[in-house]
Amino acid sequence: MGLGEASARGTSMEGDCLSCIKYLMFVFNFLIFLGGSFLLGVGVWVLVDPTGFREIVAANPLLFTGVYIILAMGGMLFLLGFLGCCGAIRENKCLLLFFFMLILIIFLAELAAAILAFVFREHLTREYFTKEMRRHYQGYNNTDVFTSTWNAIMNTFECCGVNSPEDFEDSLFRVLHPSDMVPKACCRRITHPGEEHECLMGSMMFRYNKGCYSAVVDYFEMYIYVAGALAIVVLTIELFAMVFAMCLFRGIQ
């Protein structure tokens, strides 16, 4: 009789624990679902907004790319939250397993990205970017991805070259445009006729003189620690999500 009561009590506690995990996972994934829905809504609104906000974003290539990143993140979180909620509330082993595999793939991809970033960190040096710019930057060919990307960076961050405007000396740009000292993307906002010509001739008054490497690093420096902390939080949440999903998966009869 004592053994039967102990067994029944153990079964009851196990059931309560499973129920707790089930509802914790549901609440957790419902929040993920709401976050994904919000990001999707913001991304779609920016793309279809009739008031002209789309044109403002489209004028800045970095912002325009950011919209699609927001849409992709929103879609991924929406799907994850939906699968997690349905799998938890319906105690569906198939959905829970799919949710676990999806989280595992994302976790491994993030881990691989971190390892690759560490391995190829030497490719993020000033010398590497300077060498690549001198070899591949064409100046006015917007059909070339490398050139258009650098033009967008120089326009957005109001900078010129990797280290300074002198980076264009002995470069492909000077071979293609021997009469120009710097590309048009290095010029400050033109207010009077002739200023652009002065800029292209190398006048320091009408061009950006700060290098893009320093400009970008200075801009993102304040976000580095926030991004690092956020990455740790995300990885921790993903680990807990996988543990909860597998516990619920194994507990379902």
Side-chain angles (χ1 to χ4, degrees):
M1 190 73 176
L3 287 173
E5 288 179 359
S7 176
R9 192 178 298 114
T11 303
S12 176
M13 288 179 64
E14 186 178 335
D16 291 342
C17 183
L18 190 65
S19 180
C20 181
I21 291 174
K22 170 183 171 179
Y23 288 111
L24 275 175
M25 188 171 172
F26 175 80
V27 171
F28 167 75
N29 282 285
F30 185 67
L31 292 175
I32 292 178
F33 177 81
L34 289 178
S37 302
F38 175 75
L39 289 178
L40 275 175
V42 170
V44 171
W45 173 71
V46 170
L47 289 178
V48 302
D49 177 45
T51 60
F53 191 71
R54 179 184 177 181
E55 283 70 23
I56 296 172
V57 172
N60 188 321
L62 292 180
L63 288 177
F64 195 66
T65 303
V67 171
Y68 286 100
I69 292 173
I70 287 173
L71 280 172
M73 288 179 61
M76 182 182 69
L77 291 175
F78 182 90
L79 179 62
L80 278 174
F82 178 78
L83 288 174
C85 283
C86 290
I89 206 69
R90 299 185 61 174
E91 299 185 4
N92 187 303
K93 287 187 129 183
C94 183
L95 286 176
L96 285 171
L97 185 60
F98 188 56
F99 172 82
F100 175 84
M101 294 302 296
L102 199 56
I103 286 278
L104 181 61
I105 290 170
I106 293 170
F107 181 82
L108 292 176
E110 290 169 347
L111 201 59
I115 293 170
L116 287 173
F118 179 78
V119 171
F120 294 104
R121 66 190 183 281
E122 67 271 11
H123 287 181
L124 300 177
T125 61
R126 289 175 182 266
E127 292 74 19
Y128 175 80
F129 285 122
T130 304
K131 182 180 71 175
E132 290 298 299
M133 171 174 264
R134 284 177 172 163
R135 288 174 58 188
H136 302 295
Y137 180 76
Q138 300 177 29
Y140 308 113
N141 184 3
N142 285 322
T143 59
D144 177 64
V145 175
F146 185 89
T147 299
S148 59
T149 300
W150 266 107
N151 284 337
I153 291 172
M154 290 189 285
N155 282 318
T156 302
F157 293 97
E158 298 183 347
C159 55
C160 186
V162 177
N163 306 288
S164 69
E166 281 68 37
D167 289 340
F168 294 104
E169 295 176 3
D170 302 319
S171 66
L172 175 63
F173 168 75
R174 291 298 305 280
V175 172
L176 297 174
H177 310 281
S179 61
D180 294 347
M181 300 296 292
V182 295
K184 187 177 178 180
C186 285
C187 296
R188 296 179 184 274
R189 199 167 292 176
I190 306 301
T191 56
H192 296 93
E195 289 184 355
E196 182 177 310
H197 177 73
E198 291 293 328
C199 168
L200 298 178
M201 289 299 99
S203 174
M204 296 180 65
M205 290 180 60
F206 303 106
R207 75 182 187 196
Y208 300 125
N209 295 296
K210 187 174 185 178
C212 291
Y213 193 94
S214 297
V216 173
V217 168
D218 291 347
Y219 182 82
F220 287 107
E221 188 174 19
M222 67 182 77
Y223 302 110
I224 289 174
Y225 295 109
V226 175
L230 188 61
I232 292 172
V233 169
V234 169
L235 289 172
T236 304
I237 288 173
E238 287 172 354
L239 279 173
F240 275 108
M242 286 190 287
V243 170
F244 282 161
M246 195 45 62
C247 287
L248 194 56
F249 178 86
R250 295 188 64 184
I252 295 172
Q253 301 300 321

mmCIF file of all heavy atoms in Angstrom, residues 103-136:
data_model
loop_
_atom_site.group_PDB
_atom_site.id
_atom_site.type_symbol
_atom_site.label_atom_id
_atom_site.label_comp_id
_atom_site.label_asym_id
_atom_site.label_seq_id
_atom_site.Cartn_x
_atom_site.Cartn_y
_atom_site.Cartn_z
ATOM 1 N N ILE A 103 15.322 24.906 -33.987
ATOM 2 C CA ILE A 103 16.132 25.657 -33.018
ATOM 3 C C ILE A 103 17.582 25.167 -33.048
ATOM 4 O O ILE A 103 18.524 25.960 -32.991
ATOM 5 C CB ILE A 103 15.563 25.476 -31.588
ATOM 6 C CG1 ILE A 103 14.282 26.281 -31.427
ATOM 7 C CG2 ILE A 103 16.557 25.931 -30.534
ATOM 8 C CD1 ILE A 103 14.452 27.735 -31.130
ATOM 9 N N LEU A 104 17.766 23.856 -33.159
ATOM 10 C CA LEU A 104 19.113 23.278 -33.191
ATOM 11 C C LEU A 104 19.883 23.761 -34.423
ATOM 12 O O LEU A 104 21.066 24.113 -34.320
ATOM 13 C CB LEU A 104 19.032 21.752 -33.188
ATOM 14 C CG LEU A 104 20.367 20.991 -33.198
ATOM 15 C CD1 LEU A 104 21.179 21.328 -31.941
ATOM 16 C CD2 LEU A 104 20.135 19.499 -33.315
ATOM 17 N N ILE A 105 19.211 23.808 -35.566
ATOM 18 C CA ILE A 105 19.854 24.276 -36.805
ATOM 19 C C ILE A 105 20.277 25.740 -36.663
ATOM 20 O O ILE A 105 21.396 26.125 -37.029
ATOM 21 C CB ILE A 105 18.911 24.093 -38.011
ATOM 22 C CG1 ILE A 105 18.751 22.604 -38.335
ATOM 23 C CG2 ILE A 105 19.439 24.842 -39.246
ATOM 24 C CD1 ILE A 105 17.661 22.302 -39.335
ATOM 25 N N ILE A 106 19.377 26.570 -36.109
ATOM 26 C CA ILE A 106 19.686 27.993 -35.917
ATOM 27 C C ILE A 106 20.849 28.150 -34.941
ATOM 28 O O ILE A 106 21.767 28.946 -35.171
ATOM 29 C CB ILE A 106 18.437 28.742 -35.396
ATOM 30 C CG1 ILE A 106 17.354 28.771 -36.476
ATOM 31 C CG2 ILE A 106 18.792 30.167 -34.979
ATOM 32 C CD1 ILE A 106 16.006 29.266 -35.991
ATOM 33 N N PHE A 107 20.819 27.368 -33.860
ATOM 34 C CA PHE A 107 21.883 27.424 -32.854
ATOM 35 C C PHE A 107 23.233 27.053 -33.469
ATOM 36 O O PHE A 107 24.243 27.741 -33.254
ATOM 37 C CB PHE A 107 21.542 26.475 -31.697
ATOM 38 C CG PHE A 107 22.556 26.468 -30.588
ATOM 39 C CD1 PHE A 107 22.531 27.440 -29.609
ATOM 40 C CD2 PHE A 107 23.544 25.489 -30.528
ATOM 41 C CE1 PHE A 107 23.464 27.449 -28.578
ATOM 42 C CE2 PHE A 107 24.481 25.487 -29.505
ATOM 43 C CZ PHE A 107 24.441 26.467 -28.527
ATOM 44 N N LEU A 108 23.268 25.970 -34.247
ATOM 45 C CA LEU A 108 24.511 25.530 -34.884
ATOM 46 C C LEU A 108 24.993 26.543 -35.926
ATOM 47 O O LEU A 108 26.204 26.768 -36.072
ATOM 48 C CB LEU A 108 24.312 24.158 -35.534
ATOM 49 C CG LEU A 108 24.098 22.982 -34.566
ATOM 50 C CD1 LEU A 108 23.809 21.703 -35.337
ATOM 51 C CD2 LEU A 108 25.315 22.802 -33.659
ATOM 52 N N ALA A 109 24.048 27.168 -36.644
ATOM 53 C CA ALA A 109 24.419 28.185 -37.637
ATOM 54 C C ALA A 109 25.054 29.394 -36.959
ATOM 55 O O ALA A 109 26.059 29.939 -37.443
ATOM 56 C CB ALA A 109 23.187 28.609 -38.439
ATOM 57 N N GLU A 110 24.479 29.818 -35.832
ATOM 58 C CA GLU A 110 25.049 30.944 -35.085
ATOM 59 C C GLU A 110 26.434 30.597 -34.543
ATOM 60 O O GLU A 110 27.353 31.423 -34.563
ATOM 61 C CB GLU A 110 24.107 31.326 -33.938
ATOM 62 C CG GLU A 110 22.819 31.975 -34.414
ATOM 63 C CD GLU A 110 21.794 32.111 -33.306
ATOM 64 O OE1 GLU A 110 21.974 31.494 -32.237
ATOM 65 O OE2 GLU A 110 20.800 32.827 -33.514
ATOM 66 N N LEU A 111 26.573 29.364 -34.070
ATOM 67 C CA LEU A 111 27.868 28.909 -33.559
ATOM 68 C C LEU A 111 28.911 28.875 -34.676
ATOM 69 O O LEU A 111 30.052 29.312 -34.486
ATOM 70 C CB LEU A 111 27.708 27.521 -32.937
ATOM 71 C CG LEU A 111 28.770 27.063 -31.936
ATOM 72 C CD1 LEU A 111 28.854 28.018 -30.756
ATOM 73 C CD2 LEU A 111 28.477 25.648 -31.466
ATOM 74 N N ALA A 112 28.501 28.384 -35.856
ATOM 75 C CA ALA A 112 29.408 28.332 -37.002
ATOM 76 C C ALA A 112 29.813 29.736 -37.442
ATOM 77 O O ALA A 112 30.981 29.984 -37.776
ATOM 78 C CB ALA A 112 28.742 27.593 -38.160
ATOM 79 N N ALA A 113 28.848 30.673 -37.408
ATOM 80 C CA ALA A 113 29.149 32.054 -37.783
ATOM 81 C C ALA A 113 30.161 32.675 -36.824
ATOM 82 O O ALA A 113 31.073 33.396 -37.253
ATOM 83 C CB ALA A 113 27.855 32.880 -37.796
ATOM 84 N N ALA A 114 30.011 32.388 -35.520
ATOM 85 C CA ALA A 114 30.951 32.914 -34.531
ATOM 86 C C ALA A 114 32.353 32.343 -34.741
ATOM 87 O O ALA A 114 33.352 33.066 -34.667
ATOM 88 C CB ALA A 114 30.457 32.583 -33.120
ATOM 89 N N ILE A 115 32.427 31.044 -35.050
ATOM 90 C CA ILE A 115 33.726 30.403 -35.297
ATOM 91 C C ILE A 115 34.377 30.972 -36.556
ATOM 92 O O ILE A 115 35.580 31.280 -36.565
ATOM 93 C CB ILE A 115 33.560 28.872 -35.416
ATOM 94 C CG1 ILE A 115 33.142 28.291 -34.067
ATOM 95 C CG2 ILE A 115 34.855 28.215 -35.905
ATOM 96 C CD1 ILE A 115 32.720 26.837 -34.114
ATOM 97 N N LEU A 116 33.587 31.139 -37.629
ATOM 98 C CA LEU A 116 34.119 31.698 -38.876
ATOM 99 C C LEU A 116 34.599 33.136 -38.678
ATOM 100 O O LEU A 116 35.632 33.536 -39.228
ATOM 101 C CB LEU A 116 33.051 31.647 -39.975
ATOM 102 C CG LEU A 116 32.752 30.262 -40.562
ATOM 103 C CD1 LEU A 116 31.566 30.329 -41.498
ATOM 104 C CD2 LEU A 116 33.978 29.713 -41.291
ATOM 105 N N ALA A 117 33.832 33.909 -37.894
ATOM 106 C CA ALA A 117 34.235 35.295 -37.617
ATOM 107 C C ALA A 117 35.571 35.325 -36.878
ATOM 108 O O ALA A 117 36.422 36.191 -37.146
ATOM 109 C CB ALA A 117 33.157 35.992 -36.791
ATOM 110 N N PHE A 118 35.771 34.365 -35.971
ATOM 111 C CA PHE A 118 37.040 34.302 -35.240
ATOM 112 C C PHE A 118 38.184 33.866 -36.153
ATOM 113 O O PHE A 118 39.274 34.446 -36.122
ATOM 114 C CB PHE A 118 36.909 33.334 -34.061
ATOM 115 C CG PHE A 118 38.181 33.179 -33.267
ATOM 116 C CD1 PHE A 118 38.570 34.150 -32.357
ATOM 117 C CD2 PHE A 118 38.996 32.070 -33.440
ATOM 118 C CE1 PHE A 118 39.742 34.017 -31.632
ATOM 119 C CE2 PHE A 118 40.173 31.922 -32.720
ATOM 120 C CZ PHE A 118 40.543 32.903 -31.814
ATOM 121 N N VAL A 119 37.932 32.859 -36.994
ATOM 122 C CA VAL A 119 38.972 32.327 -37.890
ATOM 123 C C VAL A 119 39.406 33.359 -38.920
ATOM 124 O O VAL A 119 40.590 33.516 -39.218
ATOM 125 C CB VAL A 119 38.476 31.041 -38.576
ATOM 126 C CG1 VAL A 119 39.445 30.603 -39.677
ATOM 127 C CG2 VAL A 119 38.303 29.920 -37.556
ATOM 128 N N PHE A 120 38.419 34.099 -39.472
ATOM 129 C CA PHE A 120 38.725 35.050 -40.539
ATOM 130 C C PHE A 120 38.815 36.491 -40.043
ATOM 131 O O PHE A 120 38.637 37.432 -40.810
ATOM 132 C CB PHE A 120 37.660 34.961 -41.647
ATOM 133 C CG PHE A 120 37.672 33.653 -42.382
ATOM 134 C CD1 PHE A 120 36.703 32.696 -42.121
ATOM 135 C CD2 PHE A 120 38.654 33.375 -43.307
ATOM 136 C CE1 PHE A 120 36.708 31.477 -42.790
ATOM 137 C CE2 PHE A 120 38.671 32.159 -43.990
ATOM 138 C CZ PHE A 120 37.704 31.209 -43.723
ATOM 139 N N ARG A 121 39.098 36.651 -38.743
ATOM 140 C CA ARG A 121 39.155 38.003 -38.182
ATOM 141 C C ARG A 121 40.257 38.846 -38.809
ATOM 142 O O ARG A 121 40.168 40.072 -38.843
ATOM 143 C CB ARG A 121 39.332 37.937 -36.664
ATOM 144 C CG ARG A 121 40.642 37.356 -36.198
ATOM 145 C CD ARG A 121 40.637 37.093 -34.701
ATOM 146 N NE ARG A 121 41.916 36.598 -34.222
ATOM 147 C CZ ARG A 121 42.326 35.351 -34.347
ATOM 148 N NH1 ARG A 121 41.541 34.467 -34.960
ATOM 149 N NH2 ARG A 121 43.511 34.976 -33.891
ATOM 150 N N GLU A 122 41.324 38.190 -39.325
ATOM 151 C CA GLU A 122 42.403 38.954 -39.956
ATOM 152 C C GLU A 122 41.951 39.611 -41.252
ATOM 153 O O GLU A 122 42.607 40.521 -41.752
ATOM 154 C CB GLU A 122 43.615 38.042 -40.226
ATOM 155 C CG GLU A 122 43.395 36.959 -41.261
ATOM 156 C CD GLU A 122 42.856 35.672 -40.633
ATOM 157 O OE1 GLU A 122 42.465 35.701 -39.446
ATOM 158 O OE2 GLU A 122 42.824 34.644 -41.338
ATOM 159 N N HIS A 123 40.828 39.162 -41.821
ATOM 160 C CA HIS A 123 40.298 39.765 -43.037
ATOM 161 C C HIS A 123 39.505 41.040 -42.750
ATOM 162 O O HIS A 123 38.968 41.653 -43.681
ATOM 163 C CB HIS A 123 39.398 38.767 -43.775
ATOM 164 C CG HIS A 123 40.178 37.671 -44.447
ATOM 165 N ND1 HIS A 123 39.570 36.673 -45.178
ATOM 166 C CD2 HIS A 123 41.508 37.419 -44.505
ATOM 167 C CE1 HIS A 123 40.493 35.854 -45.652
ATOM 168 N NE2 HIS A 123 41.676 36.286 -45.245
ATOM 169 N N LEU A 124 39.407 41.415 -41.488
ATOM 170 C CA LEU A 124 38.673 42.625 -41.116
ATOM 171 C C LEU A 124 39.622 43.763 -40.756
ATOM 172 O O LEU A 124 39.222 44.725 -40.113
ATOM 173 C CB LEU A 124 37.741 42.329 -39.938
ATOM 174 C CG LEU A 124 36.686 41.248 -40.173
ATOM 175 C CD1 LEU A 124 35.880 41.007 -38.904
ATOM 176 C CD2 LEU A 124 35.747 41.631 -41.322
ATOM 177 N N THR A 125 40.876 43.658 -41.188
ATOM 178 C CA THR A 125 41.866 44.680 -40.868
ATOM 179 C C THR A 125 41.828 45.817 -41.886
ATOM 180 O O THR A 125 41.319 45.665 -43.002
ATOM 181 C CB THR A 125 43.280 44.079 -40.847
ATOM 182 O OG1 THR A 125 43.571 43.546 -42.158
ATOM 183 C CG2 THR A 125 43.380 42.946 -39.825
ATOM 184 N N ARG A 126 42.397 46.948 -41.500
ATOM 185 C CA ARG A 126 42.494 48.097 -42.407
ATOM 186 C C ARG A 126 43.254 47.722 -43.680
ATOM 187 O O ARG A 126 42.860 48.116 -44.781
ATOM 188 C CB ARG A 126 43.239 49.240 -41.717
ATOM 189 C CG ARG A 126 42.479 49.924 -40.606
ATOM 190 C CD ARG A 126 43.376 50.944 -39.916
ATOM 191 N NE ARG A 126 42.702 51.603 -38.813
ATOM 192 C CZ ARG A 126 42.059 52.760 -38.910
ATOM 193 N NH1 ARG A 126 41.992 53.377 -40.081
ATOM 194 N NH2 ARG A 126 41.488 53.302 -37.855
ATOM 195 N N GLU A 127 44.346 46.965 -43.505
ATOM 196 C CA GLU A 127 45.189 46.616 -44.652
ATOM 197 C C GLU A 127 44.423 45.787 -45.676
ATOM 198 O O GLU A 127 44.554 46.012 -46.887
ATOM 199 C CB GLU A 127 46.422 45.838 -44.174
ATOM 200 C CG GLU A 127 47.414 46.652 -43.350
ATOM 201 C CD GLU A 127 46.927 46.929 -41.933
ATOM 202 O OE1 GLU A 127 46.010 46.203 -41.475
ATOM 203 O OE2 GLU A 127 47.446 47.863 -41.294
ATOM 204 N N TYR A 128 43.613 44.848 -45.191
ATOM 205 C CA TYR A 128 42.841 43.994 -46.103
ATOM 206 C C TYR A 128 41.838 44.829 -46.899
ATOM 207 O O TYR A 128 41.745 44.713 -48.127
ATOM 208 C CB TYR A 128 42.119 42.906 -45.311
ATOM 209 C CG TYR A 128 41.198 42.060 -46.160
ATOM 210 C CD1 TYR A 128 41.695 41.031 -46.948
ATOM 211 C CD2 TYR A 128 39.824 42.308 -46.182
ATOM 212 C CE1 TYR A 128 40.850 40.267 -47.735
ATOM 213 C CE2 TYR A 128 38.978 41.546 -46.963
ATOM 214 C CZ TYR A 128 39.491 40.521 -47.735
ATOM 215 O OH TYR A 128 38.644 39.778 -48.520
ATOM 216 N N PHE A 129 41.063 45.677 -46.204
ATOM 217 C CA PHE A 129 40.055 46.499 -46.887
ATOM 218 C C PHE A 129 40.709 47.483 -47.861
ATOM 219 O O PHE A 129 40.183 47.729 -48.949
ATOM 220 C CB PHE A 129 39.208 47.260 -45.860
ATOM 221 C CG PHE A 129 38.210 46.395 -45.152
ATOM 222 C CD1 PHE A 129 38.219 46.286 -43.773
ATOM 223 C CD2 PHE A 129 37.251 45.694 -45.858
ATOM 224 C CE1 PHE A 129 37.300 45.483 -43.109
ATOM 225 C CE2 PHE A 129 36.328 44.896 -45.219
ATOM 226 C CZ PHE A 129 36.356 44.780 -43.829
ATOM 227 N N THR A 130 41.855 48.047 -47.473
ATOM 228 C CA THR A 130 42.556 48.995 -48.342
ATOM 229 C C THR A 130 43.020 48.302 -49.617
ATOM 230 O O THR A 130 42.849 48.825 -50.730
ATOM 231 C CB THR A 130 43.773 49.597 -47.618
ATOM 232 O OG1 THR A 130 43.333 50.208 -46.397
ATOM 233 C CG2 THR A 130 44.453 50.651 -48.481
ATOM 234 N N LYS A 131 43.592 47.124 -49.476
ATOM 235 C CA LYS A 131 44.060 46.366 -50.641
ATOM 236 C C LYS A 131 42.907 46.019 -51.575
ATOM 237 O O LYS A 131 43.016 46.166 -52.801
ATOM 238 C CB LYS A 131 44.755 45.085 -50.166
ATOM 239 C CG LYS A 131 45.324 44.228 -51.294
ATOM 240 C CD LYS A 131 46.010 42.978 -50.750
ATOM 241 C CE LYS A 131 44.984 42.003 -50.216
ATOM 242 N NZ LYS A 131 45.598 40.713 -49.794
ATOM 243 N N GLU A 132 41.791 45.563 -51.003
ATOM 244 C CA GLU A 132 40.634 45.191 -51.818
ATOM 245 C C GLU A 132 40.039 46.401 -52.523
ATOM 246 O O GLU A 132 39.643 46.314 -53.693
ATOM 247 C CB GLU A 132 39.575 44.520 -50.932
ATOM 248 C CG GLU A 132 39.975 43.148 -50.432
ATOM 249 C CD GLU A 132 40.182 42.160 -51.565
ATOM 250 O OE1 GLU A 132 39.226 41.898 -52.306
ATOM 251 O OE2 GLU A 132 41.318 41.667 -51.714
ATOM 252 N N MET A 133 39.969 47.542 -51.831
ATOM 253 C CA MET A 133 39.430 48.747 -52.462
ATOM 254 C C MET A 133 40.299 49.189 -53.625
ATOM 255 O O MET A 133 39.782 49.533 -54.703
ATOM 256 C CB MET A 133 39.302 49.879 -51.436
ATOM 257 C CG MET A 133 38.956 51.227 -52.070
ATOM 258 S SD MET A 133 38.641 52.528 -50.869
ATOM 259 C CE MET A 133 36.864 52.431 -50.780
ATOM 260 N N ARG A 134 41.591 49.191 -53.452
ATOM 261 C CA ARG A 134 42.493 49.614 -54.522
ATOM 262 C C ARG A 134 42.416 48.684 -55.734
ATOM 263 O O ARG A 134 42.575 49.127 -56.872
ATOM 264 C CB ARG A 134 43.931 49.664 -53.997
ATOM 265 C CG ARG A 134 44.200 50.886 -53.123
ATOM 266 C CD ARG A 134 45.599 50.888 -52.552
ATOM 267 N NE ARG A 134 45.887 52.144 -51.874
ATOM 268 C CZ ARG A 134 46.878 52.323 -51.024
ATOM 269 N NH1 ARG A 134 47.703 51.302 -50.740
ATOM 270 N NH2 ARG A 134 47.069 53.488 -50.452
ATOM 271 N N ARG A 135 42.121 47.422 -55.482
ATOM 272 C CA ARG A 135 42.089 46.454 -56.576
ATOM 273 C C ARG A 135 40.761 46.400 -57.311
ATOM 274 O O ARG A 135 40.721 46.125 -58.510
ATOM 275 C CB ARG A 135 42.399 45.052 -56.032
ATOM 276 C CG ARG A 135 43.850 44.851 -55.631
ATOM 277 C CD ARG A 135 44.055 43.491 -54.975
ATOM 278 N NE ARG A 135 43.653 42.389 -55.844
ATOM 279 C CZ ARG A 135 43.585 41.125 -55.443
ATOM 280 N NH1 ARG A 135 43.871 40.813 -54.192
ATOM 281 N NH2 ARG A 135 43.233 40.180 -56.294
ATOM 282 N N HIS A 136 39.638 46.678 -56.603
ATOM 283 C CA HIS A 136 38.325 46.398 -57.197
ATOM 284 C C HIS A 136 37.381 47.597 -57.325
ATOM 285 O O HIS A 136 36.418 47.528 -58.089
ATOM 286 C CB HIS A 136 37.619 45.304 -56.380
ATOM 287 C CG HIS A 136 38.385 44.026 -56.297
ATOM 288 N ND1 HIS A 136 38.641 43.234 -57.394
ATOM 289 C CD2 HIS A 136 38.969 43.408 -55.235
ATOM 290 C CE1 HIS A 136 39.338 42.167 -57.024
ATOM 291 N NE2 HIS A 136 39.558 42.255 -55.720
#
